[in-house]
Amino acid sequence: MDLIFASLGLVILLLAGDSLVRGAVNMSLRLGVPAMIVSLTIVAFGTSAPELLISIQSIAEGVPGLAMGNVVGSNTANILLVLGVPALMAGLSTKTCDSRKSYLQMMGATLLFMVLAFGGEISWPQGVALLAALALILGSAFKEAMRHRCAVKAGLEEECEDDEDVEGADPDMPWWKVIMFLLLGLIGLPLGADLLVDSSTNIARHYGISETVIGLTLVALGTSLPELATTVMAALRRQADVALGNVIGSNMFNLLAIIGIASLVGPIPVEPGILQFDLWVMLGASLMLAPFVFLKWHMGRVWGILLSALYIAYVLMVLGSA
């Protein structure tokens, strides 16, 4: 029954997160917020809402290991699986992608997170540091987006995206539907998080597996499904920049926003296994993106097989050490 409830909670989380994104995006666009700002902020936060709710819920219920495992496991899954599967299906050509700045920001966030994690616990002072780093990144993105819009209005650049390009945007959506999507998201997220955390904790205790391991595997894989779906569609449409940007942005928000906010609810201890193995796997996976970002390597099917195989091997090693 716990496995059924965990699956149900995950489905509710994914549907509620999508609903919240749709409602928030369309409300923001109706209120005149620029489309690029919506993409950089509301969509990014909205798609990270399931991980955030799970982290807060797990800390409130006394299983903070689930929060840490979820974030570290999700970041590893985002690179090895979320990029590996689309590369295996259709390949990703990164020749026209310019994600160097955001990649360097992601690596900076990863290194900052690791340094703080080696203190053995992430509590509110470390959380404030993570949120401050996020604020700097968002401020930089905001200025860059506004410069672009000013250049477009001055006729110096062509408009490269419009409201319909923003995930979840529907210019014809009536206000009642916008409000309905917002309410469904706000109600569904805590309900799904509660179901998933409770049932995952029961599964862990029943089989003698730590909450951290459940977070690194079952919960991390589940909460990476939205990114996987988005990236597969981007690969099929030959939009490698969307696929790569989706993964890089998601990883930054996981480390800075989710752990930063969750640590304000309560301290998050870092288990020795995370420090000795999982953080280094996350760092290694992140470094594997460097040739595709800087040297514009083609991420073909061979790379897809390699990345997917590495993720399967990682999950088996985590479960084997449980």
Side-chain angles (χ1 to χ4, degrees):
M1 286 302 295
D2 281 320
L3 193 57
I4 293 173
F5 282 130
S7 302
L8 179 61
L10 180 59
V11 170
I12 293 174
L13 269 175
L14 299 181
L15 293 175
D18 181 66
S19 179
L20 183 65
V21 168
R22 287 178 181 275
V25 164
N26 286 288
M27 184 183 73
S28 301
L29 293 176
R30 288 294 185 86
L31 295 175
V33 179
M36 278 183 285
I37 305 305
V38 173
S39 296
L40 291 166
T41 55
I42 294 170
V43 173
F45 274 116
T47 53
S48 295
E51 287 96 330
L52 177 60
L53 265 292
I54 286 172
S55 298
I56 293 174
Q57 189 77 25
S58 62
I59 292 169
E61 295 191 5
V63 283
L66 194 66
M68 180 61 68
N70 179 32
V71 165
V72 175
S74 288
N75 275 26
T76 301
N78 278 351
I79 295 172
L80 299 182
L81 188 69
V82 172
L83 285 178
V85 170
L88 182 60
M89 293 174 61
L92 290 169
S93 177
T94 60
K95 286 183 179 179
T96 59
C97 300
D98 187 11
S99 52
R100 289 171 294 180
K101 181 179 179 180
S102 56
Y103 174 74
L104 290 174
Q105 289 172 337
M106 185 196 78
M107 290 306 304
T110 301
L111 293 174
L112 173 62
F113 178 80
M114 290 182 67
V115 168
L116 296 177
F118 271 92
E121 180 182 84
I122 295 183
S123 52
W124 73 265
Q126 292 89 343
V128 169
L130 292 171
L131 291 173
L134 177 66
L136 289 174
I137 291 172
L138 287 179
S140 173
F142 181 85
K143 289 179 182 177
E144 189 172 327
M146 294 309 293
R147 278 199 302 268
H148 173 76
R149 289 190 71 85
C150 289
V152 169
K153 287 181 180 179
L156 300 177
E157 292 183 27
E158 292 184 6
E159 180 66 86
C160 62
E161 73 171 322
D162 52 29
D163 293 352
E164 290 77 8
D165 290 327
V166 180
E167 182 181 342
D170 179 5
D172 299 320
M173 183 179 291
W175 268 108
W176 69 266
K177 191 175 284 189
V178 172
I179 295 170
M180 182 190 71
F181 276 126
L182 285 171
L183 289 175
L184 287 174
L186 292 172
I187 293 170
L189 281 171
L191 175 62
D194 188 53
L195 273 174
L196 185 57
V197 170
D198 285 348
S199 51
S200 297
T201 303
N202 290 336
I203 292 170
R205 287 171 179 163
H206 178 76
Y207 290 102
I209 301 172
S210 73
E211 290 87 2
T212 303
V213 170
I214 291 292
L216 285 165
T217 54
L218 174 66
V219 180
L221 179 59
T223 53
S224 291
L225 290 178
E227 286 87 353
L228 178 59
T230 302
T231 308
V232 166
M233 292 308 298
L236 293 175
R237 293 170 182 165
R238 305 297 178 187
Q239 295 174 320
D241 53 339
V242 174
L244 205 56
N246 179 41
V247 167
I248 291 173
S250 176
N251 281 14
M252 275 196 293
F253 271 88
N254 282 349
L255 296 174
L256 301 178
I258 292 174
I259 291 296
I261 294 171
S263 67
L264 303 180
V265 178
I268 307 173
V270 187
E271 291 187 4
I274 291 274
L275 297 175
Q276 296 164 7
F277 181 63
D278 301 288
L279 283 179
W280 297 104
V281 173
M282 181 181 74
L283 177 63
S286 301
L287 290 171
M288 286 184 71
L289 289 181
F292 305 103
V293 172
F294 293 105
L295 302 179
K296 310 296 183 182
W297 285 8
H298 178 71
M299 193 178 291
R301 288 184 171 84
V302 173
W303 277 103
I305 294 171
L306 176 61
L307 292 173
S308 302
L310 285 173
Y311 182 71
I312 293 171
Y314 166 68
V315 170
L316 292 175
M317 289 181 70
V318 170
L319 294 175
S321 63

